[in-house]
């Protein structure tokens, strides 16, 4: 692959930033917002809560005077995991919320006990039924700092409690210990501080929030999507090439970049660009463990596994966060990858090349890689966003043609992956 690509704003930053807009009195302008399914669903939820949304190119303007209801549209909420962030924001703004259990990619059981435990620690009253969560909250003035503890650094639970405590009785202080340190958490706090919030410590494992009585509008550019950045770095390493990625924060991908360098990729960085040149890959054995930031991201596990499947050496990937994150592996094995699964570990013996085999019957939402005149090749099934992207990388590196079904999963996080890859010279088409 050869050329230049520009990375969009981060989906996982924009989801909580959009819900945080529910706490603002006024207008928020968000820049670099990609047109992806998850963000569209979130904007639909906000519109249902009384926000006025206006999109022009990649800028979205969200106007909120006061949310008109505390009940969230059930159908939209069930589509995305990010709908759970509405809880903290609406509790802070209206003192009440009613929502269904959140949906999202089926990568694991995805409980919300950590979210609810933190909210209970500040005095939120929560009732759950088989389908719905109802909660109410009346913050009271406190004379001393309330210390909250999180048993595992859940990204979502951290983002929810930050929102629930940002707006409230001015001067109440909450010290939240054991929080997640992901760049998206820092981004949410930067956004809220720009709206008048008082939050310190983001990016460390203790965040302190001093509640304010009101937040004002702002103009904000979220961080670039580090997962999509990493995905393209892996794709170039897997297929070879010379690519410049613009609008990136290289520091957010250090863990991955160091691994790609061990495989022989030459990567140089400036403030907001990454230049990767990948030729022949070096033999290497990896022991990769997915972990909260700054550990290796679970959202890059499947893409990196494809690379290891194509690299001489024996490697093990341990998936520590989501139990269903190996569902793409049987698809990779169809292409000749030598991988065995033992519980949450994938043992990979790298092969020289992957090879497509013909299979019939295509599903309507599909990509074909490379783009042939007739419909042949191995049919691969995407089962979630990142697993689907991994199959695209595998297909690009495979000898022969592959068709990826259920490609709509990929649209949850990529505005147009086919166009991006075509721009870099990849042989890929979207099927109607
Ligand atoms: C976020 C990201 C997702 C990423 C994940 C881990 C968004 C919208 N999604 O998901 O892309 O893969 O971080 O980096 O930002 N857990 C519990 N109870 C809870 C909450 C979480 O047991 O109440 C567990 C989860 O099952 C998982 C682990 O904690 O094993 C991490 O989950 P969490 O950090 O909360 O991920 P999400 O916020 O769902």
């Amino acid at each position: 692959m050869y050329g230049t690509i520009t990375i969009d704003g981060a989906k996982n930053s924009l989801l909580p930033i959009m819900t945080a807009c529910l706490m603002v009195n006024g207008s928020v302008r968000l820049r670099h917002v990609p047109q992806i399914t998850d963000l569209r669903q979130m904007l639909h939820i906000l519109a249902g809560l009384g926000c006025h949304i206006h999109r022009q190119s990649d800028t979205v303007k969200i106007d909120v005077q006061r949310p008109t209801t505390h009940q969230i549209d059930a159908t939209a909420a069930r589509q995305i995991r990010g709908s759970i962030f509405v809880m903290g924001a609406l509790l802070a703004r209206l003192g009440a919320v009613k929502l269904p259990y959140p949906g999202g990619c089926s990568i694991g059981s995805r409980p919300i006990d950590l979210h609810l435990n933190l909210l209970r620690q500040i005095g939120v009253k929560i009732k759950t039924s088989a389908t719905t969560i109802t909660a109410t909250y009346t913050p009271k003035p406190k004379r001393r700092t309330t210390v909250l503890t999180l048993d595992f650094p859940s990204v979502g639970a951290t983002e929810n409690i930050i929102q629930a405590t940002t707006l409230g009785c001015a001067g109440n202080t909450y010290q939240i210990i054991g929080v997640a340190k992901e760049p998206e958490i820092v981004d949410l706090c930067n956004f809220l501080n720009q709206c008048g919030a008082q939050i310190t410590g983001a990016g460390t494992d203790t965040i302190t929030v001093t509640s304010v009585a009101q937040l004002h509008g702002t103009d904000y550019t979220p961080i670039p999507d580090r997962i999509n950045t990493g995905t393209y770095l892996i794709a170039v390493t897997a297929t070879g090439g010379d690519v410049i990625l613009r609008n990136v924060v290289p520091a957010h991908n250090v863990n991955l970049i160091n691994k790609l360098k061990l495989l022989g990729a030459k990567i140089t960085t400036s403030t907001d660009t990454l230049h990767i040149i990948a030729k022949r890959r070096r033999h290497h054995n990896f022991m990769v463990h997915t972990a909260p930031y700054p550990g290796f991201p679970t959202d890059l596990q499947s893409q990196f596994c494809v690379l290891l499947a194509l690299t001489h050496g024996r490697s093990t990937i341990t998936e520590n966060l989501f139990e269903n994150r190996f569902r793409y592996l049987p698809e990779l094995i169809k292409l000749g990858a030598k991988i065995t699964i033992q519980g949450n570990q994938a043992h990979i013996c790298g092969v020289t090349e992957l090879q497509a085999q013909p299979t019939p019957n295509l599903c309507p939402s599909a990509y074909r890689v490379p783009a042939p005149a007739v419909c042949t090749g191995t049919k691969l099934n995407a089962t979630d966003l990142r697993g689907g992207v991994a199959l695209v990388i595998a297909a690009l590196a495979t000898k022969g043609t592959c068709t990826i079904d259920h490609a709509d999963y990929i649209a949850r996080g990529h505005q147009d992956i086919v166009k991006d890859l075509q721009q870099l010279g990849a042989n890929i088409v979207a099927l109607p």
Side-chain angles (χ1 to χ4, degrees), residues 102-384:
C105 277
S106 50
I107 53 177
S109 60
R110 309 192 84 171
I112 53 164
D113 55 312
L114 297 170
H115 297 243
L116 303 188
N117 286 348
L118 273 174
L119 293 171
R120 285 192 179 103
Q121 287 179 52
I122 60 167
V124 173
K125 305 251 179 301
I126 301 171
K127 277 193 201 146
T128 54
S129 74
T131 54
T132 313
I133 310 158
T134 313
T136 52
Y137 178 44
T138 314
K140 298 195 179 78
K142 306 213 189 256
R143 260 178 263 126
R144 52 183 119 116
T145 301
T146 309
V147 179
L148 314 174
T149 49
L150 184 53
D151 290 334
F152 180 85
S154 153
V155 174
T158 302
E159 290 166 340
N160 232 336
I161 195 67
I162 287 170
Q163 296 186 68
T165 49
T166 288
L167 198 64
C169 293
N172 275 2
T173 299
Y174 301 87
Q175 190 182 40
I176 317 159
I177 297 174
V179 295
K181 296 183 275 202
E182 268 69 1
E184 293 77 13
I185 306 274
V186 178
D187 212 22
L188 171 66
C189 294
N190 286 343
F191 166 76
L192 285 168
N193 282 341
Q194 210 172 292
C195 296
Q198 288 181 28
I199 306 171
T200 56
T204 73
D205 52 19
T206 301
I207 285 178
T208 304
V209 182
T210 300
S211 304
V212 295
Q214 122 166 347
L215 294 174
H216 54 76
T218 194
D219 190 320
Y220 194 76
T221 304
I223 55 169
D225 198 304
R226 67 190 165 100
I227 303 302
N228 292 355
T229 304
T231 296
Y232 289 126
L233 288 175
I234 292 171
V236 177
T237 312
T239 57
D242 183 339
V243 171
I244 293 173
L245 290 97
R246 295 198 193 284
N247 187 38
V248 296
V249 178
H252 292 168
N253 284 96
V254 169
N255 194 314
L256 173 70
I257 288 171
N258 287 341
K259 289 183 174 57
L260 298 181
K261 283 182 176 170
L262 287 173
L263 290 174
K266 291 196 173 29
I267 301 176
T268 47
T269 61
S270 71
T271 325
D272 61 356
T273 62
L274 272 165
H275 182 187
I276 176 165
I277 301 175
K279 291 185 182 143
R280 190 177 297 174
R281 279 188 299 286
R282 280 193 211 125
H283 172 291
H284 203 87
N285 302 325
F286 282 100
M287 293 284 281
V288 179
H289 298 256
T290 62
Y293 189 84
F296 192 84
T298 174
D299 286 353
L300 287 174
Q301 177 260 106
S302 44
Q303 301 91 314
F304 195 63
C305 183
V306 171
L307 187 57
L308 296 184
L310 279 161
T311 303
H312 282 294
R314 286 179 180 275
S315 296
T316 298
I317 293 185
T318 307
E319 172 53 60
N320 289 313
L321 292 170
F322 295 111
E323 64 274 23
N324 289 342
R325 273 231 143 138
F326 283 151
R327 296 205 302 171
Y328 65 98
L329 284 179
E331 305 301 290
L332 209 50
I333 291 166
K334 278 188 201 166
L335 299 174
K338 295 216 172 340
I339 301 174
T340 52
I341 308 167
Q342 263 185 322
N344 69 336
Q345 292 195 317
H347 301 286
I348 306 145
C349 178
V351 296
T352 312
E353 67 175 18
L354 299 176
Q355 174 84 51
Q357 308 290 334
T359 38
N361 297 335
L362 298 177
C363 157
S365 154
Y367 299 155
R368 194 176 324 141
V369 194
V374 280
C375 202
T376 56
T378 300
K379 191 179 93 159
L380 305 171
N381 252 314
T383 54
D384 62 79

